[in-house]
Amino acid sequence: NTTKADVLIVGAGQAGGDLASGLRQQGYTGRIVLVGEEPYVPYRRPPLSKTFLSGEATLESLFIKPQSVFDKHNIECMFGTGVESIDRETRTARLYDGTTMEYGKLVLATGGRPRRLSLPGADHPNVHYVRTIADILKLKEQFEAGKRLVIIGGGYIGLEAASVGIKKGLKVTVVEALPRVLARVTAPEISAFYERVHRSRGVDLKTGVGVHAFEGDALVDAVVLADGTRIESDIVIAGIGLIPNTEIAEAAGLTISNGIVVNLHTQTADPDIYAIGDCAQSENAFFGRSMRLESVPNAIEQARVTAAAILGKPVPYSAVPWFWSDQYDLKLQMVGLSQGYEQIIIRGDINSEAFSAFYLKDGVVISADAVNRPQEFMIAKKLVADRVKVDAAQLADEGFVLKTLLQTPA
Ligand code: FAD
């Protein structure tokens, strides 16, 4: 028994949900089916490691739109099930329950799953990952004042969880195998700033040392590091990266690199199949190369580009990436890609907990990190997008009004 969707969206996360509503907002009248593995309407993940873990945000507040909005827009939702495989010849998708559905256009918005630890003991019930509502509901049952929390991985998710742990009165250790935290995404100066911040708030932060083993029969009672240090644990959180969900695309013969390979219009080599969000390795016109990004603004933008393509009014994907992270009372906002920078200029006092860092290449601002400086961040976004050439001394001088740079683009 096969039915046909004009647009079948696989994955009801940030990208998939936005695409469904975006299509309707732009006037699409065909049949839209949104299939999602998780038993929820599309929800925001950023609060999972922030206000939802801390208990400040309710479950309902995570939902991007209530079910009634999907109903009103005639978006057919199938939550709690998924697509197992795609047959490109017959243009059908097979669902987990064995039923099939034909598609006109298929959009893969499958996100990713946490990279898992492979050590013996890693499947004990006090070892946690931070990706879904279900993960956090399970973690919250154990997340109590006085508990000893060991976080493996000093990336955003690990550091945000550490900050919530401290706030809730847990005893927090963070273990990062690389020599510094946030190493993949920021300059040594900013890593050093965040290391000072976490230590000053009470985190026992260990860098440059990996995890060697877990001790304990039913639970992980201690984490043993490569240098022999033994850290007693009640709870372990692993935040060691994401694996994009590319398997169904790969089995269907689509090209995979770091993600599902798509062009400037988020389209795979099969013109009827698109991929967006965390699972997609996408061409970006601003950079003139392809990349896979893990951020809400990227998911939103790619959903917009796909809706335009499906509606026959294609626009290229050319957004400059940006991101944010909340730790303690610090709001970090980042724009651009800092790889390959030649100079970093700090504006403001890096010890004051309100400053910006600008990354320059050939005198041009290619990226910026702003800590508790939202207005400067808005200007930084424009400087990066317009590839503005700056004078480093002016940029560092707080007496110099940054905005004036916007009137004289390079
Ligand atoms: P997802 O939101 O992961 O959605 C994919 C969905 O597809 C999932 O629900 C999955 O179950 C489903 N699925 C997978 N396979 C199938 C299948 N075969 N059939 C049906 N359904 C399937 N970004 C920021 O910009 N700022 C932040 O501060 C920030 N904080 C974050 C904090 C946490 C804890 C996490 C986990 C992420 C954070 N992110 C942040 C990243 C951001 O949430 C993701 O980039 C974004 O959710 C990507 O959207 P997506 O739709 O591609 O994937």
Side-chain angles (χ1 to χ4, degrees), residues 10-11 37-38 45 83 86 96 108-115 131-132 242-251 256 258-261 274-281 292 294:
V10 187
E37 231 168 36
E38 293 181 72
R45 290 183 202 280
V83 167
I86 310 157
Y96 291 169
L108 297 165
T110 49
R113 56 189 184 275
R115 185 178 302 283
R131 182 71 192 174
T132 63
L242 185 87
I243 299 174
N245 290 327
T246 58
E247 286 75 7
I248 54 175
E250 191 170 7
I256 311 295
N258 185 28
I260 305 167
V261 173
Y274 297 79
I276 55 175
D278 284 11
C279 70
Q281 168 85 18
R292 191 177 67 78
E294 296 168 11

Side-chain angles (χ1 to χ4, degrees), residues 179-215:
R180 59 187 177 95
V181 301
L182 300 174
R184 277 194 315 128
V185 288
T186 196
E189 290 85 343
I190 310 303
S191 296
F193 167 77
Y194 273 98
E195 288 167 5
R196 284 197 301 276
V197 163
H198 282 275
R199 289 193 171 118
S200 72
R201 265 57 168 198
V203 173
D204 182 4
L205 172 63
K206 298 179 189 301
T207 55
V209 60
V211 173
H212 173 65
F214 290 146
E215 281 181 13

